[in-house]
Amino acid sequence: IISGTYTYASSNTMGKGGQSVQSSSRNDIKTTKDGHWVSPYNPLDPKAPALPSKGEIKAVIPKECFERSYFHSMYFVARDTALAAGCVYIAHQTLSTDVPADLASVDALKWFLGWNTYAFWMGCILTGHWVLAHECGHGAFSPSQTFNDFWGFIMHQALLVPYFAWQYTHAKHHRRTNNTMDGESHVPNSKDEMGLKNGVERHGGYAAIHEAIGDGPFAMLQIFAHLVIGWPLYLMGLASTGRLGNDGKPLDGAVIDHYRPWSKMFPSKLRFKIALSTIGVIASWVGLYFVAQEYGALPVTLWYMGPLMWNQAWL
């Protein structure tokens, strides 16, 4: 947080991109002619106040905020698991996996609403396990990283997440947040990737789709892309990844996925862990396949895939 009073030599100066910048008298707020706020802090100004270092910020945070507890963390695992078990029990007592004979009946409507209600709430509960595994990856779950990795692996692999692969890329995401070249996940698209030429001329990609279908349908497409297929595409290296390999060189079209131990996304020292994560995901899929062979694809979809879709949407 930077405090202090900022004054400006002129009430009408040129801001970034040649925009006219207005300075109001109220609390020295700077805005463009379009009314957009302009930060008074310019990191390139030699007279700008120095920002505190990460060490200085950490030093003023109470020590108890960094304390990690085995008991406290495992309590949340037990609590969320109990909630999941309770959700399954209620659904088992009130719903059937058999499709109603008359799809236009009230029973069919109850069936549809019942399973969607279960999927939503079970997906929310499983997001608790997902976040706990996320904390394991960050080392915030307990004082022991071995303990963290054990529980993080179990919880993430159960949700088809390659734990060690994502642990590495998510750490990189925090180190390189919003870096357009070496970032990871939610990496901003370039103008060319969006299909834009010379300002707003649209010649392909998302821009052409937007032009063709309009704002409303395009918004729906974006919602579907982000909430339904965005996470799987990211894990497969087909969306929102960085533009550099782990060696710092441009990818030149290479796909950097979360599953291949030799993917350019990972250093060679992590290959065993990446392979272990991939084997875990494959084992989970194989388990789902055999359950589907035994009980049918529809029960697996209703009990597991529906909640998983909601879980991934929350990400």
Side-chain angles (χ1 to χ4, degrees), residues 4-311:
T5 302
Y6 294 85
T7 57
Y8 306 97
S10 171
S11 62
N12 190 357
T13 57
M14 297 304 289
K16 183 178 180 181
Q19 293 179 305
S20 178
V21 178
Q22 309 293 329
S23 177
S24 72
S25 59
R26 191 183 124 203
N27 297 327
D28 288 330
I29 297 175
K30 264 172 94 176
T31 61
T32 65
K33 286 200 303 185
D34 297 332
H36 295 111
W37 174 78
V38 178
S39 172
Y41 179 73
N42 178 8
L44 301 180
D45 186 347
K47 297 181 180 179
L51 291 174
S53 67
K54 287 190 289 186
E56 290 172 333
I57 295 174
K58 186 175 180 179
V60 299
I61 298 174
K63 291 183 178 179
E64 56 266 27
C65 293
F66 298 98
E67 293 177 358
R68 296 165 291 175
S69 167
Y70 293 100
F71 176 81
H72 195 70
S73 295
M74 289 306 299
Y75 160 75
F76 286 115
V77 174
R79 183 201 65 178
D80 289 354
T81 302
L83 288 172
C87 192
V88 168
Y89 176 78
I90 294 171
H92 184 266
Q93 294 297 313
T94 57
L95 298 171
S96 169
T97 56
D98 297 327
V99 180
D102 184 0
L103 296 180
S105 65
V106 173
D107 286 341
L109 179 62
K110 291 180 179 178
W111 185 87
F112 177 81
L113 292 177
W115 278 112
N116 274 277
T117 300
Y118 161 79
F120 173 78
W121 285 111
M122 190 64 168
C124 291
I125 293 169
L126 293 177
T127 301
H129 292 86
W130 204 103
V131 172
L132 287 168
H134 165 274
E135 298 309 308
C136 290
H138 276 301
F141 189 75
S142 80
S144 168
Q145 192 55 44
T146 300
F147 189 83
N148 296 343
D149 289 342
F150 175 81
W151 285 103
F153 185 87
I154 291 174
M155 290 185 285
H156 261 179
Q157 299 297 151
L159 297 171
L160 304 180
V161 180
Y163 172 75
F164 288 113
W166 183 84
Q167 180 188 48
Y168 173 81
T169 59
H170 188 62
K172 183 181 178 184
H173 160 72
H174 281 287
R175 292 195 307 269
R176 301 285 189 271
T177 303
N178 293 332
N179 189 308
T180 58
M181 289 299 295
D182 201 24
E184 191 58 53
S185 85
H186 303 91
V187 177
N189 293 105
S190 67
K191 182 178 70 173
D192 290 339
E193 290 170 341
M194 293 300 292
L196 293 172
K197 272 186 179 179
N198 302 324
V200 295
E201 182 184 344
R202 306 178 181 194
H203 66 91
Y206 263 147
I209 296 174
H210 186 193
E211 183 76 15
I213 66 178
D215 291 344
F218 184 74
M220 295 300 296
L221 176 64
Q222 284 282 283
I223 291 172
F224 174 80
H226 282 81
L227 301 187
V228 180
I229 63 175
W231 172 248
L233 289 179
Y234 169 63
L235 292 180
M236 291 187 289
L238 302 178
S240 198
T241 60
R243 296 179 173 85
L244 301 178
N246 71 83
D247 56 1
K249 298 179 181 178
L251 294 173
D252 294 328
V255 175
I256 50 173
D257 59 271
H258 282 71
Y259 301 106
R260 293 174 302 147
W262 57 89
S263 170
K264 288 185 177 181
M265 181 180 284
F266 308 110
S268 58
K269 65 180 181 180
L270 289 181
R271 285 184 177 178
F272 175 76
K273 285 187 172 182
I274 305 306
L276 191 63
S277 294
T278 301
I279 292 170
V281 172
I282 293 173
S284 297
W285 277 113
V286 170
L288 290 170
Y289 171 78
F290 281 111
V291 172
Q293 289 291 101
E294 180 70 22
Y295 299 100
L298 182 58
V300 172
T301 300
L302 295 174
W303 285 112
Y304 181 80
M305 298 307 297
L308 186 69
M309 295 293 288
W310 276 106
N311 167 249

